[in-house]
Amino acid sequence: PPPATLPAWAFEPARSPAPVRAAMTASGLPGAKALPGEGLPPEEAMRRGTLVHRLLEDLPHLEDSARADAAPLILHAADPDLPDPVARELVTQALGLLGRAELRPLFGPGTLPEVGVAADLPGHGPFHGIIDRLILSETHVHAIDYKTNRSLPAASHQIPLGILAQMGAYALALKQVYPAHVLRLSILWTHDGTLMDVPEHLALQALANAASS
């Protein structure tokens, strides 16, 4: 048979692929993540924060009577070099939070820990993050983020910009998934157990300010 004739485009150089815009992450959003007076080096604060998150993810699955014994084992598995005094402090903090009556709905059956979200946020581009706790009903969605800061704001408008921007990103992402749901945003300050609601407009404005900085 005669040789096949290739179309003209087969002899043209391939076009360069369109550049891919890197996704924003919750931790990578600009803006302060803490108020002055934290008292711990950033690396140590991050280490402790990661471990508190781990306890609040794993312990709610257990019966109340089993948590005190399980908590040190969870910490040792996650960070074998953690000093005992620090481990005891973190265990006491986590068990205290789980034992508070007003916080029990956050950790009850049907609540979702460590929920990954990814979305193309209007005006901001791709985003991905992990919501520490999500409570979902047929009509409402409640996103809770844990913050282990030691220096705490007295009111929502005093929350550092980087944290507010993170909540704004979660708000935009969740509104794409649950457009008809009533959205609630909250921060659980683990240092003293305060559950602070974050007004949606405040979070979205912080996100806009962070994106333009």
Side-chain angles (χ1 to χ4, degrees):
T5 301
L6 297 176
W9 60 260
F11 299 95
E12 297 177 357
R15 296 178 181 178
S16 299
V20 177
R21 185 175 178 182
M24 296 187 299
T25 64
S27 60
L29 287 167
K33 306 297 194 301
L35 295 173
E38 276 299 301
L40 288 174
E43 297 80 7
E44 179 63 17
M46 184 175 295
R47 180 188 191 187
R48 295 185 183 206
T50 299
L51 293 172
V52 170
H53 278 68
R54 181 65 179 270
L55 290 173
L56 294 180
E57 177 185 0
D58 292 347
L59 289 177
H61 301 297
L62 304 176
E63 295 293 334
D64 291 1
S65 58
R67 290 172 179 172
D69 290 334
L73 301 178
I74 292 170
L75 290 182
H76 182 73
D79 191 341
D81 299 323
L82 186 70
D84 287 343
V86 177
R88 288 193 293 269
E89 177 186 339
L90 299 185
V91 167
T92 298
Q93 183 180 117
L95 293 177
L97 292 169
L98 295 174
R100 295 179 66 158
E102 70 272 21
L103 297 180
R104 283 186 176 271
L106 274 60
F107 304 105
T111 61
L112 304 173
E114 302 295 313
V115 178
V117 291
D120 192 3
L121 305 185
H124 301 282
F127 167 81
H128 67 81
I130 297 177
I131 299 174
D132 294 327
R133 206 86 185 176
L134 196 69
I135 303 174
L136 183 64
S137 73
E138 292 184 0
T139 56
H140 291 68
V141 58
H142 185 188
I144 302 103
D145 199 60
Y146 309 145
K147 293 302 179 190
T148 56
N149 304 44
R150 293 188 169 200
S151 183
L152 307 182
S156 58
H157 67 273
Q158 297 174 342
I159 297 172
L161 175 64
I163 295 177
L164 284 175
Q166 177 181 348
M167 302 305 290
Y170 290 156
L172 287 183
L174 289 171
K175 287 170 79 70
Q176 291 188 36
V177 182
Y178 304 106
H181 282 57
V182 177
L183 175 64
R184 180 183 175 189
L185 305 169
S186 301
I187 293 173
L188 176 59
W189 301 104
T190 64
H191 187 65
D192 71 349
T194 296
L195 184 67
M196 181 178 288
D197 283 347
V198 179
E200 184 180 334
H201 71 89
L202 198 64
L204 294 178
Q205 184 59 57
L207 178 61
N209 293 343
S212 63
S213 62

